[in-house]
Amino acid sequence: MYIIGENIHIISPRVKKALAEKDKKFFQELAVKQVEAGAQALDLNIGPQKRAGHEIMPWLVDTIQEVVDVSLSLDTTNLAAIEAGLKRAKNQAIINSTSAQPERLEKVPLLAKQYNAKLIALTMRDGGIPVEADTRVSIAMEYLIPRAMEVGIPMEDLLIDPLVLTVSGCQEYCPECIQAVKMLKLVADPPPKVSVGLSNVSNAVPNEMRSLINRTYMVMLMAAGLDCAIANPLDEKLKEYIRIVEERDDSTPLGRMLLKLHDAVAADEELKPEDVDMDDPEQAAVYKTVQVLLNKVIYTDSYLRL
């Protein structure tokens, strides 16, 4: 699993403050910490930054590249900021992102081609994010993939993002996103790479529950064929779940249960209650979380206590 570290994000008050103060030490320490924890690339989310984005992004790219040697994902809607960052990037950069909205689809892929950057492409148009998996896949097939091919972006540099939304308020989207990943891996030969913003699934969820939801969803998305995730590399339990799946490590009861979950999702089946030791708190929590993520049980902040 290719992990793009998510922790440099304008939504964090500490990141916002450090960006305003141009605190190089803060960003460099956070970059090193993520890479040392296993991130293969880093997402730099500076927000829209309409006034100063063209100055902030190259400063941040230079700052990060002084201490780590990984690809950088330039995450902003400001095209001038993206291009300014692309000009400074030493490694192949990632543009985060285009959508199928006409203006974005016209301009952003051209930047990716011009600067040999990878491109994250969101399955949404002007009408917003569709619930149904087949509609998201249709957007990729009818707009995103043809546009990438038209401008000459290699398929291996295109990352389709079927858009993870929070289980708290958008629960019906969660199983549809899993199905969208599966379908996207079947639409072309070679198929496009598929990427998601993993932590979106636990937005607006109590902090102590976020890792459980994130790591359980990751196992399910891996079963569907996910290639890449913008995620928290500092989450040790998340990384352990990824390792168990990738290594097929069935040496522990939890590992065996996670592999059964993975294989069930891959086969379009459901995890059976008899495959879960409900006396094991971790297994029980994962099982309850699966039911919520499949939209079988309504999400509430207290679902683990039910």
Side-chain angles (χ1 to χ4, degrees):
M1 181 58 56
Y2 189 88
I3 297 295
I4 302 173
E6 72 178 13
N7 300 74
I8 298 175
H9 196 301
I10 194 69
I11 200 170
S12 162
R14 293 182 65 198
V15 170
K16 189 173 184 179
K17 181 175 182 289
L19 207 54
E21 297 174 353
K22 290 198 172 178
D23 184 346
K24 289 182 67 173
K25 182 180 178 184
F26 172 86
F27 287 111
Q28 290 180 339
E29 288 179 351
L30 187 51
V32 169
K33 196 174 181 181
Q34 290 186 87
V35 172
E36 288 181 346
Q40 291 134 296
L42 297 176
D43 192 64
L44 308 183
N45 186 314
I46 66 169
Q49 297 290 348
K50 293 181 180 178
R51 292 183 179 179
H54 63 290
E55 298 174 352
I56 291 171
M57 186 64 88
W59 173 84
L60 188 56
V61 168
D62 288 344
T63 296
I64 300 302
Q65 289 182 150
E66 286 179 10
V67 292
V68 295
D69 183 24
V70 297
S71 293
L72 300 178
S73 169
L74 311 183
D75 192 347
T76 177
T77 55
N78 184 329
L79 289 185
I82 289 175
E83 183 163 20
L86 290 170
K87 290 177 178 178
R88 307 296 298 177
K90 296 177 181 177
N91 297 308
Q92 185 180 28
I94 305 165
I95 295 177
N96 189 9
S97 56
T98 188
S99 68
Q101 294 163 303
E103 183 177 357
R104 299 289 295 179
L105 196 59
E106 172 65 27
K107 296 179 180 179
V108 183
L110 291 173
L111 272 184
K113 174 61 178 177
Q114 181 180 350
Y115 291 94
N116 188 36
K118 293 181 182 290
L119 177 63
I120 295 175
L122 312 179
T123 56
M124 62 179 290
R125 281 183 59 75
D126 287 330
I129 303 169
V131 176
E132 299 82 4
D134 56 356
T135 306
R136 301 190 213 189
V137 173
S138 293
I139 290 172
M141 289 294 295
E142 294 175 21
Y143 300 99
L144 302 176
I145 294 173
R147 179 59 175 156
M149 294 175 67
E150 180 184 17
V151 303
I153 297 172
M155 187 63 74
E156 60 268 22
D157 287 344
L158 180 65
L159 298 164
I160 303 294
D161 184 342
L163 292 162
V164 168
L165 294 180
T166 178
V167 73
S168 176
C170 300
Q171 188 174 350
E172 69 274 20
Y173 286 78
C174 296
E176 294 290 335
C177 188
I178 295 170
Q179 286 302 120
V181 174
K182 282 188 178 182
M183 294 169 68
L184 284 165
K185 302 309 289 186
L186 299 173
V187 297
D189 186 17
K193 295 270 196 306
V194 182
S195 177
V196 299
L198 179 67
S199 298
N200 291 337
V201 75
S202 62
N203 282 344
V205 167
N207 193 57
E208 65 272 14
M209 298 163 61
R210 295 199 67 183
S211 175
L212 170 65
I213 293 172
N214 293 348
R215 64 185 184 261
T216 302
Y217 203 42
M218 173 62 94
V219 172
M220 300 168 78
L221 289 166
M222 291 175 75
L226 187 71
D227 299 289
C228 170
I230 299 174
N232 181 9
L234 308 181
D235 184 339
E236 293 299 329
K237 286 190 174 182
L238 170 63
K239 291 192 294 182
E240 177 62 7
Y241 276 33
I242 293 171
R243 185 199 66 78
I244 286 170
V245 171
E246 290 184 336
E247 297 180 6
R248 301 287 301 180
D249 182 359
D250 61 358
S251 63
T252 65
L254 176 62
R256 289 191 289 275
M257 183 256 193
L258 292 176
L259 291 175
K260 287 177 180 177
L261 168 61
H262 174 276
D263 295 348
V265 174
D268 281 323
E269 298 173 357
E270 293 185 20
L271 182 68
K272 299 174 183 176
E274 56 264 33
D275 291 331
V276 183
D277 180 0
M278 296 303 286
D279 293 326
D280 179 334
E282 178 82 359
Q283 290 191 50
V286 169
Y287 181 76
K288 290 179 180 181
T289 302
V290 169
Q291 304 314 303
V292 167
L293 291 168
L294 290 177
N295 203 23
K296 303 287 186 182
V297 174
I298 298 299
Y299 172 83
T300 68
D301 290 348
S302 61
Y303 79 89
L304 289 174
R305 300 194 293 273
L306 299 178

